[in-house]
């Protein structure tokens, strides 16, 4: 794990998957986690216990003596929470962790602010090596930069500054490469389980597909009937999906997209 040359005092706003892993990484790199806030007290307490700090579900009870306040909550709640959180804390640094939310969400509410976006999929029940995760940062001034750089470099060996405009496309690419791919796994699992097979029978195929793109471009790694647009196979498989119109549409559109992109 990277180490920090300066200890920061940090308050975590949120208790979800990302807040949990980031909070543990920050604490593990030698920083002082002062408090965890979550609207649901039991959730705040669970993470606070893991980090060895206090918990609150009352925004008026959030401490005032941290250097940084890291906000890791659902995107739709940011604009409501930020003005109340930042009020009376003009000398503090505020950081959000959202991939698709621009830095200017803080404008008019905070003096020093920025973004620390770890690009990874997180689940509480799975440990991750945070030091290998690409972290993308942005800041509005030198004070925010110093704090964000200290935190980012203390938890990851892979830190890059990136503007809000470019981070939108990074997040879009992440949705395609992670969320949509995982949904395809779920659809595949449904097919397997409905016909007396198990998803783990697909794991060697999944593992090899993921491994290949470490060495060759995804376009070159593409295989299957859609590459050559084998209409006999495609039409037979579309027939198998006759009772699932949405899955049939997904299959059809994906096949056409694959064929066009691999010509």
């Amino acid at each position: 794990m990277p180490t920090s040359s300066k200890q920061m005092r940090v308050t975590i706003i949120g208790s979800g998957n990302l807040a949990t892993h980031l909070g543990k990484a920050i604490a593990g790199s030698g920083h002082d986690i002062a408090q965890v806030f979550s609207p649901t007290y039991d959730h705040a307490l669970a993470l606070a216990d893991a980090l060895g700090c206090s918990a609150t579900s009352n925004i008026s009870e959030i401490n005032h003596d941290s250097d940084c306040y890291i906000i890791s909550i659902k995107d739709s709640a940011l604009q409501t929470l930020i003005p109340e959180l930042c009020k009376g804390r003009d000398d503090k640094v505020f950081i959000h962790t959202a991939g698709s939310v621009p830095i200017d969400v803080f404008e008019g509410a905070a003096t020093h602010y920025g973004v620390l976006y770890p690009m990874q999929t997180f689940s509480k029940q799975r440990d991750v090596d945070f030091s290998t995760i690409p972290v993308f940062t942005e800041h509005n001034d030198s004070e925010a930069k110093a704090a964000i750089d200290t935190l980012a470099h203390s938890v990851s060996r892979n830190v890059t500054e990136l503007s809000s405009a470019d981070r939108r496309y990074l997040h879009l690419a992440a949705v395609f490469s992670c969320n949509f791919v995982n949904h395809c796994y779920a659809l595949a699992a449904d097919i397997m389980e409905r016909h007396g097979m198990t998803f783990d029978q697909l794991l060697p195929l999944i593992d090899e597909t993921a491994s290949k793109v470490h060495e060759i471009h995804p376009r070159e790694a593409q295989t299957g009937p859609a590459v050559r647009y084998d209409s006999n196979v495609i039409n037979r498989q579309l027939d198998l999906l006759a009772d699932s119109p949405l899955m049939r549409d997904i299959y059809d559109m994906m096949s056409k997209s694959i064929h066009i992109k691999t010509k």
Side-chain angles (χ1 to χ4, degrees), residues 13 35 37 56-64 81 84-85 87 89:
I13 308 298
Q35 190 179 46
F37 164 85
T56 184
S57 59
N58 188 337
I59 196 167
S60 67
E61 294 178 355
I62 294 175
N63 68 308
H64 282 74
L81 182 141
E84 191 170 358
L85 175 65
K87 187 176 181 180
R89 297 181 174 91

Side-chain angles (χ1 to χ4, degrees), residues 36-49:
V36 173
F37 164 85
S38 174
T40 304
Y41 182 73
D42 287 347
H43 295 171
L45 184 61
L47 180 53
D49 283 348

